Amino acid sequence: MDLRINALPSQALTGVGQTAFKRPAAGAAGGVGGGFADNFKSALDSVSKAQNDASRLQNEVQKGNPNVSLEETMLAMQKSQIGFQATLHVRNRMVQAYTDIMNMSV
């Protein structure tokens, strides 16, 4: 297995610093099909895709594929981990908000 450090291609750096949650289009908020559920589903899909990509790259590195760099794989793994953590925090806050609302006295 070749462990030399290669320069990262510019494609590997796209999306660095961006979260898994993207802002909706200007007319999407409150419009038809632009609700919270749709935005949440698209965010979950993007996190799932990032995790699948990271797993695929991990398998390719383990197989010794010379076209997949270790740096690209590590970057994909970090992106998927950050996306998962953000999703977990959103879920925890939603559960806490639901619990707070259900415990309110009327």
Side-chain angles (χ1 to χ4, degrees):
M1 182 174 179
D2 186 18
L3 295 177
R4 288 180 283 156
I5 296 177
N6 300 325
L8 283 174
S10 61
Q11 298 93 354
L13 297 177
T14 57
V16 173
Q18 296 175 354
T19 61
F21 302 100
K22 297 179 181 171
R23 289 186 176 168
V32 176
F36 177 78
D38 293 333
N39 290 334
F40 194 68
K41 182 175 178 359
S42 68
L44 288 176
D45 289 341
S46 68
V47 169
S48 178
K49 182 183 178 302
Q51 287 180 331
N52 290 337
D53 289 344
S55 294
R56 181 185 54 79
L57 288 173
Q58 250 182 325
N59 288 335
E60 291 298 320
V61 166
Q62 289 173 353
K63 291 177 186 176
N65 186 348
N67 296 328
V68 179
S69 69
L70 183 61
E71 298 86 6
E72 180 182 5
T73 304
M74 295 301 290
L75 189 63
M77 289 170 55
Q78 287 297 317
K79 283 182 187 180
S80 69
Q81 183 180 11
I82 290 170
F84 179 75
Q85 288 175 351
T87 304
L88 190 63
H89 286 298
V90 169
R91 192 239 10 195
N92 290 342
R93 286 191 177 223
M94 289 176 61
V95 168
Q96 184 62 44
Y98 175 79
T99 304
D100 291 346
I101 290 171
M102 294 311 290
N103 289 334
M104 283 183 183
S105 60
V106 186

